Amino acid sequence: MNELVKSLPSPTLPGLHLPCVDTCKGWLFKWTNYLKGYQRRWFVLSNGLLSYYRTQAEMAHTCRGTIPLATAHIEVGDTCHLVLTSGGRSYHLKATSEAESQRWVSALQQAKANATLLMHHSDDSGDEGPVPQEDRALTQGVLKTLASKLDDLSTCNELIGKHGAALQRSLSELEELRGSADSADKVKAVNERATLFRITSNAMINACRDFLDVAESQSRRWQKTLQYEREQRHHLEETIEQLAKQHNSLERAWRENPSSYSGVERTQEGDESDENDDAEFFDAMEDSPAFITVTTSGDIKHKRSGSNQSMMSGGVPNDWTHNENDSSVTNHMQLRRTRRSRIPDKPNYSLNLWSIMKNCIGKDLSKIPMPVNFNEPLSMLQRLTEDLEYSELLDRAARCDSSLEQMCLVAAFSVSSYSTTVHRTAKPFNPLLGETYELDRLEEYGYRSICEQVSHHPPAAAHHVTSQRGWTLWQHITIDSKFRGKYISVMPLGHIHLQFHSSGNHYVWSKVTSTVHNIIVGKLWIDQSGDIDVVNSTTKDTCRLKFSPYSYFSRDVPRKVTGVVEDREGTARYILSGTWDDKMESAKIVDSSQGCGGSEGKQKTVYQTRQPKLLWKKYPLPDNAENMHFFSSLALTLNEQEEGIAPTDSRLRPDQRLMEAGLWDEANTQKQRLEECQRLERKKREAQANQALEDGQDIEGYQPLWFEKRTDDATGENIFVYRGGYWEAKDRQDWTQCPEIF
């Protein structure tokens, strides 16, 4: 039952008499969408604004929407129906009875009339709400100056009038005394001039008075406009913060008790907020893999499309995976024994990320100077090198006789590179132009790696790895990062190439998009989403991996990755399944058939597979990792001091080194110095290029030291590939070609 509560009369402006305004509260049914229809909402009419909530309890913290009646159109429809149109959006409401509908219509029309009258009176009278003290003082100062000038002009006008009158009297007396015709003409002319002078003075005074009136009127309008814009901006910031807090509360509630949400139907999920009232709903089958897996025993492990439960049913790996796992663990333990296993703990410095990021929405983050508080003590070159954490997968793949089994291991390697990012929400240092990073692991893992920053805007790095165990990997990656308001998207552009020495098989794939969520409020978390197409350009085998975006209400396992390995004829041969933060498994397909359940008439393919086999399993993090930036065992060694490295190596970067030691203030000072030096160097190169252009000379541009640009045969792209010479220069300890960038 609605209740009509009489409130105190609203404050009125001088000279404005409004009828007593009623505050109306009660339940109405609001149209949401075709899936949910009309939903019961608690509406509150107050001070010309109609607000609605899901429950009365929400009035204390969450408003689902507000309709300003001053600019709204009220239309009474059929029985108990009414439509409010405001800001290009229509709100369809329905009351429980005709009497309730009439009561709401009367209250809404009265509130609209009062709000409209109040708005027009405010426009005419110029009585605004409070404006900032600085703006008010500035405006009043200008008006006082104009008024003072006008007073001076008025004083001058009075003097001119007095002197003019005296002059006219004197001339009149002179005319009477002298009586000469010539003198009379002259006196008359002077008298006319004095009259014209007085008229001109009056006109000047009137013009100044008009100017002052216009200035006062425009000042009121400017103050109102400025105050409105400030209120709108403040309201928008509050709304964004409120939405972020609600999002964080929902995330925390789901994580504390996810099982309570697993049985919620789709129609109920959509009712969590009226923010989704106008959203379109799509069949959930559209984004799921178009296959169902069944083991050879005949038991259906999961009938729901896209599930990978059958591939995680605990199949014991055969020698293809098990023996190699033993050797990989041995290598991993050897690395932990011979190199450092900890770094200084991360200081507990608090800094509001939103205070810096709110002015960067839609911008490229590589062009925004950021304090080291948001970094981790590794550069982007070192993060690229960290892809080699599970290089033993490539060692095993190099020994495979089957190209399809080799494809499974390569696909697992492409997924494994993301396992180190699950807790790593901090930003790596942007490398300086010409910065390098080497990683020599010939003794432990049989490979050598070299990276170089080949471009600064856009930021691009080239990477080359050669292994004594039968493979070579190279990549040219450009990072495109954007801040979207509540999250940051990092999109690596470019391809990764891998070639096996014995078979000559050449694999090409790209990276998926990384997204950092909860920039405004809440705990930062990272997600990987998109597709990876791994192509063997030699045999034409392919594998498409799908990284499913994280969803609070999805019944699938979080961070799920699924894929199908196909031969050159397009026949599916293996199913891959797992998560990018834990493990990947493969299951060989023995039979396939067309099933039902697809959307829009499409049929799902049912694959009959053997028991799954483990391809890759993530190593556990070191002890105390949460205080060491969640670094893996390999990451802890990446910034360890090495002898004989190039003077451009990331290990020698002073701001990064200071940050690792916990000296963040000193690190920020060094970071600013390095960035300023880089800007000066860029301006110097631009000046040289302009001079060369004026002289008619060829402009070569910046050339990396260890990489050169070539056209890639597999993709047709212009990429930077290793030209050689780095390891030979290291053997000779000849770094004379290296620039001084630190």
Side-chain angles (χ1 to χ4, degrees):
M1 175 68 69
N2 286 3
E3 55 178 337
L4 196 63
V5 183
K6 297 292 184 179
S7 66
L8 294 174
S10 299
T12 57
L13 297 174
L16 179 63
H17 302 284
L18 296 177
C20 183
V21 181
D22 292 335
T23 297
C24 192
K25 301 179 182 180
W27 293 103
L28 288 174
F29 288 88
K30 174 181 173 292
W31 175 261
T32 55
N33 53 50
Y34 286 101
L35 184 63
K36 297 181 291 182
Y38 280 95
Q39 295 293 319
R40 196 164 177 253
R41 297 288 182 263
W42 179 258
F43 279 81
V44 177
L45 173 62
S46 177
N47 296 326
L49 299 175
L50 181 63
S51 304
Y52 57 93
Y53 311 83
R54 289 188 63 205
T55 62
Q56 296 184 51
E58 276 195 349
M59 293 178 60
H61 55 84
T62 304
C63 178
R64 300 291 171 172
T66 301
I67 307 170
L69 295 179
T71 57
H73 173 68
I74 303 175
E75 179 182 352
V76 181
D78 298 335
T79 306
C80 302
H81 287 76
L82 62 149
V83 181
L84 300 181
T85 304
S86 176
R89 181 176 179 180
S90 296
Y91 300 84
H92 297 263
L93 309 178
K94 183 171 65 173
T96 56
S97 66
E98 185 70 30
E100 294 297 325
S101 176
Q102 186 59 43
R103 185 164 7 187
W104 273 105
V105 170
S106 300
L108 291 172
Q109 290 177 343
Q110 184 63 62
K112 173 178 171 59
N114 292 344
T116 304
L117 183 62
L118 187 66
M119 183 178 65
H120 289 333
H121 185 273
S122 177
D123 289 340
D124 296 337
S125 66
D127 290 335
E128 306 89 5
V131 297
Q133 189 67 29
E134 301 86 353
D135 295 338
R136 181 186 300 173
L138 179 61
T139 303
Q140 291 178 350
V142 174
L143 293 178
K144 286 181 179 179
T145 302
L146 291 174
S148 175
K149 296 297 182 183
L150 184 60
D151 290 340
D152 294 343
L153 290 173
S154 298
T155 302
C156 293
N157 181 59
E158 292 176 359
L159 293 175
I160 290 173
K162 291 179 181 179
H163 292 309
L167 178 61
Q168 287 179 348
R169 287 196 299 270
S170 299
L171 292 175
S172 297
E173 293 172 359
L174 178 63
E175 184 178 1
E176 292 174 356
L177 292 174
R178 302 181 66 175
S180 170
D182 293 339
S183 62
D185 292 339
K186 292 181 179 179
V187 170
K188 185 177 180 179
V190 173
N191 198 6
E192 290 176 353
R193 291 175 180 175
T195 302
L196 290 174
F197 179 70
R198 186 173 64 254
I199 294 173
T200 303
S201 299
N202 290 332
M204 180 182 64
I205 294 297
N206 292 333
C208 292
R209 185 176 290 108
D210 292 341
F211 171 76
L212 181 60
D213 292 339
V214 172
E216 290 177 343
S217 175
Q218 291 300 322
S219 175
R220 289 193 296 269
R221 293 180 180 272
W222 292 337
Q223 289 177 11
K224 286 178 7 182
T225 301
L226 183 61
Q227 179 66 13
Y228 174 77
E229 293 296 334
R230 282 183 172 145
E231 290 176 353
Q232 288 294 102
R233 175 173 179 176
H234 181 67
H235 176 68
L236 179 59
E237 290 181 351
E238 287 184 341
T239 302
I240 292 176
E241 186 173 357
Q242 183 69 23
L243 288 174
K245 290 180 179 178
Q246 295 174 20
H247 181 277
N248 188 45
S249 299
L250 179 62
E251 175 187 358
R252 186 168 55 251
W254 183 87
R255 288 181 174 175
E256 291 175 355
N257 191 12
S259 60
S260 63
Y261 294 86
S262 60
V264 179
E265 295 297 329
R266 208 61 180 169
T267 57
Q268 294 173 340
E269 292 166 10
D271 193 39
E272 285 299 321
S273 170
D274 280 290
E275 298 298 326
N276 296 326
D277 285 351
D278 299 324
E280 297 183 47
F281 290 82
F282 299 91
D283 191 339
M285 302 287 287
E286 287 298 313
D287 294 330
S288 61
F291 59 82
I292 304 172
T293 58
V294 180
T295 60
T296 53
S297 63
D299 297 331
I300 298 179
K301 294 299 181 181
H302 222 296
K303 292 184 178 181
R304 191 159 56 86
S305 174
S307 169
N308 59 355
Q309 183 173 342
S310 68
M311 300 165 215
M312 293 190 175
S313 56
V316 179
N318 63 2
D319 292 342
W320 174 34
T321 58
H322 183 69
N323 291 339
E324 295 300 330
N325 262 355
D326 292 341
S327 63
S328 67
V329 172
T330 301
N331 286 339
H332 181 61
M333 295 301 296
Q334 180 183 2
L335 177 140
R336 295 186 64 180
R337 286 196 303 268
T338 56
R339 298 188 180 271
R340 72 178 186 180
S341 58
R342 64 173 296 107
I343 59 175
D345 287 356
K346 175 183 177 182
N348 187 19
Y349 289 154
S350 62
L351 190 63
N352 187 358
L353 179 58
W354 172 243
S355 65
I356 296 178
M357 300 299 295
K358 65 182 181 181
N359 297 319
C360 307
I361 296 178
K363 297 181 180 180
D364 184 352
L365 293 185
S366 65
K367 299 182 180 180
I368 300 172
M370 303 281 286
V372 301
N373 305 56
F374 303 128
N375 287 79
E376 62 178 19
L378 291 177
S379 74
M380 181 58 72
L381 302 181
Q382 291 165 311
R383 286 292 292 267
L384 276 181
T385 307
E386 208 174 338
D387 288 354
L388 302 172
E389 176 96 24
Y390 299 94
S391 62
E392 69 272 6
L393 289 171
L394 302 184
D395 299 341
R396 289 158 52 190
R399 294 192 292 270
C400 281
D401 296 329
S402 168
S403 63
L404 295 173
E405 292 180 357
Q406 188 178 75
M407 171 65 81
C408 292
L409 290 167
V410 172
F413 173 79
S414 69
V415 175
S416 70
S417 62
Y418 297 99
S419 65
T420 61
T421 68
V422 63
H423 301 295
R424 304 266 291 278
T425 56
K427 176 180 176 290
F429 280 79
N430 288 331
L432 304 176
L433 188 62
E435 186 174 333
T436 61
Y437 181 74
E438 68 156 74
L439 188 67
D440 191 343
R441 291 292 189 265
L442 280 179
E443 294 182 0
E444 296 99 327
Y445 300 132
Y447 67 77
R448 275 178 164 180
S449 167
I450 175 65
C451 290
E452 182 178 5
Q453 187 77 359
V454 296
S455 173
H456 189 62
H457 286 308
H463 184 203
H464 183 86
V465 189
T466 301
S467 173
Q468 294 178 340
R469 300 179 183 178
W471 53 270
T472 300
L473 181 145
W474 66 97
Q475 58 181 322
H476 174 206
I477 299 295
T478 301
I479 302 298
D480 184 16
S481 56
K482 288 290 191 301
F483 176 49
R484 305 296 186 183
K486 192 181 175 183
Y487 61 91
I488 296 174
S489 294
V490 180
M491 296 151 285
L493 308 177
H495 292 87
I496 303 171
H497 297 259
L498 172 66
Q499 188 166 27
F500 292 100
H501 302 165
S502 58
S503 64
N505 288 339
H506 183 181
Y507 293 85
V508 182
W509 69 93
S510 57
K511 290 180 174 287
V512 295
T513 299
S514 300
T515 307
V516 181
H517 295 270
N518 285 356
I519 299 299
I520 302 176
V521 68
K523 183 180 179 181
L524 294 176
W525 61 279
I526 193 168
D527 192 23
Q528 315 289 348
S529 60
D531 295 338
I532 291 181
D533 289 321
V534 185
V535 179
N536 185 341
S537 59
T538 305
T539 65
K540 308 305 179 186
D541 300 334
T542 61
C543 175
R544 165 159 287 192
L545 295 168
K546 178 178 178 58
F547 287 64
S548 300
Y550 184 72
S551 173
Y552 298 126
F553 300 106
S554 174
R555 298 177 183 177
D556 290 331
V557 61
R559 308 180 185 93
K560 185 182 71 171
V561 180
T562 55
V564 179
V565 175
E566 297 180 348
D567 59 21
R568 63 187 308 161
E569 284 80 22
T571 303
R573 305 295 295 274
Y574 284 89
I575 297 294
L576 303 182
S577 181
T579 59
W580 55 263
D581 68 326
D582 185 27
K583 64 180 178 179
M584 287 295 294
E585 295 176 323
S586 68
K588 188 172 184 179
I589 298 173
V590 296
D591 193 15
S592 64
S593 61
Q594 295 297 319
C596 58
S599 59
E600 299 181 0
K602 298 178 181 179
Q603 290 184 328
K604 296 289 183 180
T605 302
V606 179
Y607 292 122
Q608 189 176 14
T609 67
R610 295 178 180 173
Q611 289 292 329
K613 301 174 183 178
L614 182 66
L615 294 174
W616 158 75
K617 175 71 175 175
K618 180 187 175 183
Y619 299 140
L621 288 175
D623 294 337
N624 196 40
E626 66 276 7
N627 295 321
M628 298 187 295
H629 310 274
F630 286 99
F631 281 177
S632 64
S633 297
L634 175 62
L636 288 173
T637 69
L638 293 180
N639 210 39
E640 190 175 6
Q641 292 284 12
E642 298 277 352
E643 295 182 358
I645 57 177
T648 54
D649 196 278
S650 299
R651 297 178 181 88
L652 304 178
R653 181 166 173 163
D655 52 351
Q656 186 174 303
R657 179 64 59 187
L658 288 168
M659 183 195 175
E660 182 185 272
L663 304 175
W664 285 17
D665 291 338
E666 294 84 347
N668 276 317
T669 302
Q670 287 293 328
K671 187 172 185 288
Q672 293 175 4
R673 179 185 67 82
L674 292 175
E675 290 172 347
E676 182 61 28
C677 291
Q678 184 164 243
R679 281 190 287 269
L680 294 176
E681 188 65 26
R682 188 190 72 244
K683 292 179 180 179
K684 180 180 178 181
R685 287 195 301 271
E686 291 175 351
Q688 292 175 349
N690 292 334
Q691 185 62 41
L693 188 62
E694 293 177 359
D695 298 341
Q697 301 176 359
D698 294 335
I699 304 175
E700 190 175 25
Y702 176 79
Q703 296 297 320
L705 188 58
W706 310 111
F707 290 80
E708 61 184 0
K709 184 176 288 188
R710 296 180 189 170
T711 301
D712 181 60
D713 296 333
T715 63
E717 300 173 335
N718 289 327
I719 65 172
F720 282 92
V721 296
Y722 182 54
R723 73 169 77 200
Y726 178 86
W727 302 108
E728 292 78 6
K730 182 180 180 181
D731 292 339
R732 300 191 307 268
Q733 283 299 293
D734 180 11
W735 303 117
T736 55
Q737 303 178 69
C738 296
E740 295 182 4
I741 60 174
F742 299 141

